[in-house]
């Protein structure tokens, strides 16, 4: 029986660097795009010598802004993957898009390349908010992109938003959600603003406080449920049949290969990371900067962290193979009567209330 893999392909180029972003991206290297893609192709060919017999279940183009580069280069990369790997016919292929780089012709080429799923980075519909966080688009471009999806009859597309951005209020956030629902996305991701980047200091004082963000989240959970979405992961909602298979595989600790600068990989209990130096990657895309074996204790900790993010939760019988269930439940005892966790049918599950303090719960259980 063939083992299966997911592929992540990092496209690090952006028109601008958003002030909240903490990913490995570049806004001044677009002339290097063709050279970077050639390095990606060399890495794909080299990795395939070891992993060509694996079945590829999902492919995900992330960034950066994958939609920024010539769509024919996306097609070239997919063709290279299919040439050297066994790609399942039903393979989910996702591309992250920014509104300013979506048009009918690009959608046509992406689809001809095999793309089955689109993830649109909206973040906000407010002009001032978008400007404040240095997004390279405005609301008009967002609506134009959504109308392109509608015109091209794209069903499998998701929208990404951030809660807690400067100038947001509960009322303005609710109006944005109501507006976006009129375009009938099949997937929605809503993330709380992360304070991990120093650039956040530029506008942090203009952001809504924690209590306001919680009100946004609580309203959102109820509204999306009424709209027919299931809350299948802490930050992700989907209509039936439209979950992100690629991300689901991460949460289930399935193996994946990462291609591109700074990409991570985990295969057969071995984890490694590509280097993050741009020039060095172009010269030697196979160079690894960090690698390690995943022992049982690390697998146990990741099992807790990743499974509790999902609505399915943590399977106690499965956990027994890598950890002590009695100890786990003892650590969880205070979160059960409070309604942050629930235990039923052999599963330990975080509730929507629990999702709000998931980091605290996870640390206690680990």
């Amino acid at each position: 029986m063939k083992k299966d893999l997911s592929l992540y392909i990092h496209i690090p180029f952006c028109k601008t660097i958003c002030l909240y972003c903490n990913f490995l991206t570049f806004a001044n290297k677009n002339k290097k795009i063709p050279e970077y893609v050639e390095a990606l192709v060399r890495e794909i060919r080299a990795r395939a010598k070891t992993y060509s017999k694996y079945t590829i279940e999902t492919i995900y183009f992330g960034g950066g802004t994958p939609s920024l580069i010539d769509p024919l280069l996306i097609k070239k990369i997919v063709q290279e993957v299919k040439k050297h790997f066994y790609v399942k016919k039903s393979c989910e292929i996702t591309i992250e898009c920014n509104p300013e780089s979506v048009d009918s012709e690009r959608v046509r080429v992406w689809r001809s390349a095999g793309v089955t799923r689109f993830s649109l980075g909206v973040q906000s519909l407010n002009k001032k908010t978008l400007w404040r966080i240095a997004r390279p688009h405005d609301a008009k471009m967002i609506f134009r992109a959504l109308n392109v999806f509608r015109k091209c009859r794209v069903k499998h597309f998701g929208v990404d938003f951030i809660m807690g951005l400067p100038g947001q209020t509960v009322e303005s956030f609710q109006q944005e959600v109501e507006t976006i629902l009129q375009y009938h996305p099949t997937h929605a991701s809503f993330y709380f603003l992360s304070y991990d980047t120093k650039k956040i200091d530029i506008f942090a004082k203009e952001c809504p406080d924690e209590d306001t963000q919680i009100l946004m989240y609580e309203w959102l959970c109820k509204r999306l449920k009424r709209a027919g979405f299931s809350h299948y992961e802490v930050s992700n909602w989907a209509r039936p049949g439209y979950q992100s298979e690629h991300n689901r595989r991460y949460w289930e600790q399935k193996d994946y290969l990462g291609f591109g600068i700074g990409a991570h990989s985990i295969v057969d209990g071995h984890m490694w990371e590509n280097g993050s130096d741009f020039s060095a990657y172009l010269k030697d895309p196979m160079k690894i900067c960090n690698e390690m074996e995943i022992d049982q204790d690390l697998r146990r900790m990741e099992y807790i962290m990743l499974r509790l993010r999902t609505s399915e939760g943590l399977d106690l019988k499965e956990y027994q193979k890598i950890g002590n269930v009695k100890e786990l439940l003892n650590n969880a005892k205070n979160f059960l009567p409070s309604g942050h966790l629930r235990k039923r049918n052999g599963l330990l599950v975080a509730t929507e209330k629990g999702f709000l303090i998931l980091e605290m719960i996870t640390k206690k259980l680990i």
Side-chain angles (χ1 to χ4, degrees):
M1 183 178 177
K2 283 188 176 182
K3 293 184 178 180
D4 54 76
L5 278 176
S6 287
L7 303 184
Y8 172 81
I9 300 169
H10 190 61
I11 307 295
F13 306 99
C14 285
K15 187 176 180 180
T16 60
I17 303 299
C18 303
L19 296 179
Y20 59 82
C21 182
N22 208 24
F23 295 110
L24 182 58
T25 60
F26 305 95
N28 59 350
K29 297 185 184 295
N30 288 2
K31 291 181 179 179
K32 295 282 188 179
I33 290 174
E35 195 176 346
Y36 179 80
V37 171
E38 288 304 318
L40 262 178
V41 167
R42 297 203 312 274
E43 185 186 2
I44 289 167
R45 289 172 180 169
R47 295 277 179 222
K49 293 176 183 178
T50 304
Y51 302 107
S52 62
K53 292 183 179 180
Y54 287 65
T55 298
I56 307 305
E57 297 276 346
T58 66
I59 301 171
Y60 193 101
F61 285 90
T65 312
S67 61
L68 176 69
I69 74 174
D70 188 329
L72 289 174
L73 292 176
I74 297 293
K75 189 169 186 175
K76 177 179 180 177
I77 294 166
V78 174
Q79 288 173 338
E80 202 66 38
V81 168
K82 289 183 175 180
K83 186 188 298 183
H84 298 284
F85 290 87
Y86 175 74
V87 178
K88 196 174 179 180
K89 280 188 177 181
S90 59
C91 179
E92 175 193 87
I93 303 180
T94 301
I95 185 167
E96 291 183 347
C97 309
N98 263 13
E100 74 279 2
S101 52
V102 171
D103 58 47
S104 297
E105 178 58 18
R106 284 175 178 266
V107 170
R108 185 192 68 78
V109 178
W110 290 329
R111 277 176 155 172
S112 72
V115 172
T116 62
R117 183 174 178 273
F118 300 84
S119 180
L120 187 68
V122 175
Q123 316 316 348
S124 172
L125 298 178
N126 183 280
K127 181 180 179 180
K128 289 183 179 179
T129 298
L130 292 168
W131 173 83
R132 197 72 183 97
I133 60 178
R135 289 293 287 174
H137 61 82
D138 58 21
K140 288 182 181 178
M141 294 178 188
I142 295 169
F143 298 134
R144 187 177 66 196
L146 290 167
N147 282 320
V148 166
F149 287 160
R150 180 178 285 172
K151 178 184 175 183
C152 296
R153 297 183 180 179
V154 173
K155 283 189 175 181
H156 203 349
F157 77 92
V159 290
D160 286 9
F161 276 81
I162 296 177
M163 294 179 285
L165 290 174
Q168 267 185 349
T169 64
V170 173
E171 292 75 18
S172 69
F173 175 73
Q174 290 175 348
Q175 184 55 55
E176 290 187 23
V177 173
E178 295 293 352
T179 299
I180 212 71
L181 286 176
Q182 294 174 22
Y183 288 88
H184 307 291
T186 49
H187 192 279
S189 300
F190 285 84
Y191 303 97
F192 284 111
L193 178 66
S194 171
Y195 285 79
D196 286 345
T197 170
K198 292 180 181 178
K199 292 179 182 178
I200 213 79
D201 294 338
I202 295 172
F203 59 76
K205 292 180 180 178
E206 304 165 37
C207 296
D209 60 25
E210 186 176 289
D211 288 343
T212 302
Q213 292 183 48
I214 290 172
L215 288 175
M216 291 177 186
Y217 167 84
E218 290 175 340
W219 175 86
L220 179 71
C221 291
K222 294 174 183 176
R223 181 65 185 92
L224 290 184
K225 185 177 181 180
R226 290 205 316 272
F229 288 80
S230 64
H231 193 178
Y232 74 102
E233 192 268 348
V234 59
S235 302
N236 289 277
W237 287 257
R239 296 188 189 277
Y242 290 99
Q243 294 185 5
S244 168
E245 288 301 311
H246 184 86
N247 288 335
R248 186 181 60 80
R249 286 174 59 83
Y250 285 152
W251 303 319
E252 292 178 357
Q253 294 177 289
K254 299 288 181 68
D255 287 351
Y256 62 92
L257 275 178
F259 295 109
I261 182 171
H264 293 73
S265 301
I266 299 179
V267 184
D268 294 333
H270 184 64
M271 178 167 60
W272 68 90
E273 178 185 351
N274 288 354
S276 57
D277 181 278
F278 191 87
S279 298
Y281 179 78
L282 296 184
K283 292 176 183 176
D284 181 10
M286 289 293 288
K287 189 174 182 180
I288 293 171
C289 67
N290 291 305
E291 59 182 320
M292 64 181 292
E293 297 300 319
I294 301 177
D295 60 21
Q296 181 163 307
D297 197 46
L298 180 56
R299 183 169 290 278
R300 177 189 69 83
M301 290 188 288
E302 285 196 335
Y303 186 86
I304 294 172
M305 287 188 289
L306 294 171
R307 293 301 177 97
L308 277 185
R309 293 184 64 88
T310 70
S311 60
E312 286 85 2
L314 186 155
D315 188 311
L316 296 173
K317 187 178 290 186
E318 195 173 333
Y319 181 79
Q320 185 64 58
K321 300 172 185 176
I322 52 175
N324 187 316
V325 170
K326 186 176 180 180
E327 182 180 348
L328 179 77
L329 292 176
N330 185 58
N331 290 338
K333 63 184 179 182
N334 292 330
F335 298 111
L336 291 164
S338 66
H340 292 95
L341 292 176
R342 68 170 182 265
K343 178 177 173 286
R344 66 179 187 188
N345 301 325
L347 301 173
L348 186 65
V349 182
T351 62
E352 288 182 330
K353 181 181 177 182
F355 281 159
L356 282 168
I357 60 166
L358 194 59
E359 186 176 349
M360 180 197 302
I361 294 172
T362 300
K363 285 180 180 178
K364 183 65 177 176
L365 296 193
I366 287 175

